[in-house]
Amino acid sequence: SYRPRAVRAAAAIKHALGADVTLTPGGRGEYTVWVDGRKVADKSGGEFPTEAEVVTAVTNAAGPSTRPR
C-alpha cells in the first residue's frame, strides 16, 4: 500500500506550506501528486519521490506566492 507514504508526503506539504491536501486512491501501482489538475510528481522508474522532492514540486507548481514556512 502506498497510503503510508502518501500520508507522510501530505503531512510534509501541510507542515512546509500550510496547504490542505486531499489523498485520492489511484490505480494499482500509481503514486502521483497533482496540483490544480497538473501532475507535478510521480513514481517513475520504480522510484518514489522523497517527501522533500514532493514539497519542492508542489511549491514550484503553486507559484511564487507559495513559500515554505
Side-chain angles (χ1 to χ4, degrees):
S1 170
Y2 296 172
R3 184 161 177 77
R5 187 178 304 270
V7 168
R8 287 192 306 270
I13 292 166
K14 178 74 172 177
H15 177 76
L17 306 174
D20 290 325
V21 176
T22 301
L23 298 178
T24 306
R28 182 180 170 110
E30 180 182 1
Y31 183 90
T32 308
V33 180
W34 300 86
V35 174
D36 296 330
R38 293 182 297 157
K39 180 167 66 169
V40 299
D42 66 357
K43 183 182 86 169
S44 59
E47 297 292 321
F48 287 92
T50 66
E51 291 163 25
E53 290 169 334
V54 170
V55 170
T56 297
V58 170
T59 300
N60 291 341
S65 64
T66 306
R67 300 187 199 294
R69 292 181 179 178

